[in-house]
């Protein structure tokens, strides 16, 4: 079917729509309208975070849509100041009350913060395991975890993260972390999938877009889904919200896929911080 978004199976038996809608850097006052628009177009997966300050407006838009709660996959993430178990428990309750939901589909540790909390993200992860056991987080995962962080969870914790949400786009293909994920049944979610717009005027991407008669953003999002990753582009522009949804009625051939993958710039391609160093704790 032309615009059907595939559901992908997670390692815990749940499923996740491969395409969602991200709400990072959408002002709270604009969030409900953007999410309303996305749900109207057909998105059924919203990616928010405590750090984004717009969970309440996401919940408001989901309720206002008239869709059943079970029809929309909602992700949120633990903010960096709340890694200690007691704080994480309180913060998770505040996520549910802001969303006005009794569960989230997916809850993530937003950043590993290996230089904070004496390097202990394992007790934070074990606290997320509690949320999954009591049913208030249907699935749990991590974000911005590097391979050594994932190896440490594998050695010291019981539950394998369902996903690892990391920066991935043609300028940072992040192959090593993705490969660890695929070897250990951890799905990769690609954040900033169009590098916040920076890859869209790349000559190779523009050329492929002309060949297939699509926009550069559609080509880049299609490249992600053909690699098997989950994406949730952000936009507050109605036309782009719709454009980004129309990526399941064409394919890229191997040559086009390789051209995009060949644009990788390694570390210098990052748009965001390096997770090994990032230590920001919001005031
Ligand atoms: N876990 C993490 O640490 C982390 C970090 C960053 C992001 N994320 C998640 O990933 C989501 C997406 O990443 P992102 O918001 O950083 O960046 P992105 O989705 O790669 O890019 C968003 C930017 O591209 C523009 N844009 C969107 N669609 C476009 C199109 N079709 N043509 C041209 N420009 C377009 C948007 O502008 P307009 O809005 O003006 O249209 C916006 O400026 C976030 O919303 C968030 O959910 C997670």
């Amino acid at each position: 079917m032309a615009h059907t978004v595939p559901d992908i199976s997670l390692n815990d038996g749940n499923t996740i729509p491969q395409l969602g809608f991200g709400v990072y850097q959408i002002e709270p006052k604009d969030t409900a309208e953007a999410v309303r628009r996305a749900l109207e177009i057909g998105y059924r997966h919203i990616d928010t975070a405590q750090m984004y300050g717009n969970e309440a407006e996401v919940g408001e838009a989901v309720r206002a849509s008239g869709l059943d709660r079970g029809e929309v996959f909602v992700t949120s993430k633990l903010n960096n100041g709340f890694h200690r178990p007691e704080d994480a428990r309180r913060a998770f309750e505040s996520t549910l009350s802001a969303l006005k939901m009794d569960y989230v589909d997916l809850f993530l540790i937003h950043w590993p913060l290996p230089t904070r909390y004496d390097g202990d993200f394992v007790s934070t992860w074990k606290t997320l395991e509690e949320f999954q056991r009591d049913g208030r987080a249907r699935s749990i995962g991590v974000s911005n975890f590097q391979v050594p962080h994932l190896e440490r969870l594998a050695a010291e914790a019981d539950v394998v993260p369902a996903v690892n949400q990391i920066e991935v786009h043609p300028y940072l293909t992040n192959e090593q972390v993705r490969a660890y994920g695929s070897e250990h049944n951890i799905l990769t979610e690609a954040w900033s999938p169009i590098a916040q717009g920076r890859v869209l005027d790349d000559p190779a991407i523009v050329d492929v877009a002309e060949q297939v008669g699509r926009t550069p953003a559609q080509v880049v999002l299609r490249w992600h889904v053909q690699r098997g990753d989950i994406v949730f582009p952000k936009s507050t522009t109605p036309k782009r919200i719709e454009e980004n949804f129309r990526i399941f009625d064409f394919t890229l051939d191997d040559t086009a896929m390789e051209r995009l993958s060949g644009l990788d710039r390694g570390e210098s391609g990052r748009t965001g911080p390096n997770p090994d160093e990032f230590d920001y704790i919001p005031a």
Side-chain angles (χ1 to χ4, degrees):
M1 288 272 298
H3 296 299
T4 305
V5 176
D7 279 326
I8 307 194
S9 294
L10 298 167
N11 63 18
D12 57 15
N14 295 324
T15 61
I16 182 169
Q18 192 176 13
L19 174 69
F21 184 69
V23 297
Y24 175 46
Q25 291 177 329
I26 304 187
E27 294 289 328
K29 69 175 176 44
D30 301 325
T31 302
E33 173 55 21
V35 173
R36 185 198 68 74
R37 180 83 192 171
L39 294 171
E40 186 180 79
I41 287 165
Y43 290 83
R44 293 291 180 269
H45 165 184
I46 312 295
D47 185 88
T48 184
Q50 293 172 353
M51 201 186 285
Y52 305 167
N54 54 19
E55 290 170 308
E57 292 76 13
V58 168
E60 182 191 320
V62 171
R63 278 189 306 284
S65 70
L67 293 163
D68 287 342
R69 170 68 187 87
E71 290 180 75
V72 185
F73 190 102
V74 177
T75 299
S76 194
K77 317 184 191 86
L78 182 70
N79 210 344
N80 291 349
F82 305 135
H83 276 212
R84 290 196 184 86
E86 273 313 307
D87 295 334
R89 290 183 193 110
R90 264 194 302 273
F92 183 61
E93 276 165 26
S94 69
T95 277
L96 293 179
S97 67
L99 286 164
K100 295 202 174 82
M101 292 177 180
D102 51 14
Y103 70 91
V104 289
D105 295 277
L106 179 61
F107 196 65
L108 311 180
I109 300 179
H110 205 149
W111 289 88
L113 305 176
T115 63
R116 295 269 186 183
Y117 303 102
D118 299 319
D120 174 24
F121 44 74
V122 177
S123 59
T124 314
W125 176 249
K126 290 187 174 177
T127 311
L128 265 63
E129 290 180 355
E130 291 171 18
F131 307 155
Q132 186 177 38
R133 272 198 301 276
D134 69 27
R136 293 180 302 157
R138 296 268 164 100
S139 297
I140 53 173
V142 294
S143 178
N144 299 300
F145 273 46
Q146 305 276 57
V147 170
H149 307 142
L150 296 169
E151 286 173 339
R152 184 151 163 222
L153 287 189
E156 297 180 39
D158 297 324
V159 176
V160 178
V163 306
N164 185 19
Q165 183 177 129
I166 55 173
E167 182 177 349
V168 186
H169 46 70
Y171 289 166
L172 179 73
T173 59
N174 225 333
E175 299 305 351
Q176 282 182 337
V177 185
R178 289 181 72 252
Y180 182 95
S182 54
E183 282 155 25
H184 294 84
N185 214 4
I186 300 168
L187 280 176
T188 295
E189 297 191 323
W191 66 248
S192 293
I194 56 172
Q196 300 200 329
R198 273 174 242 188
V199 295
L200 300 182
D201 54 5
D202 185 284
I205 293 172
V206 171
D207 190 38
V208 171
E210 280 166 7
Q211 280 174 22
V212 298
R214 296 292 173 140
T215 68
Q218 288 174 321
V219 163
V220 175
L221 295 170
R222 181 70 209 174
W223 170 81
H224 283 285
V225 302
Q226 283 186 215
R227 280 155 54 94
D229 292 352
I230 296 160
V231 282
F232 22 80
K234 170 265 172 186
S235 179
T236 45
T237 313
K239 198 172 138 292
R240 291 174 174 172
I241 299 175
E242 181 150 11
E243 172 185 330
N244 295 343
F245 191 72
R246 310 270 171 230
I247 58 168
F248 294 102
D249 58 349
F250 73 105
T251 52
L252 298 177
D253 64 18
D254 291 349
T255 309
M257 289 295 293
E258 281 158 23
R259 278 185 84 186
L260 266 71
S261 302
L263 299 174
D264 183 32
R265 298 176 178 178
E267 272 307 304
S268 66
R270 279 192 195 279
T271 64
N274 184 315
D276 289 319
E277 291 152 15
F278 189 63
D279 65 354
Y280 170 69
I281 294 195

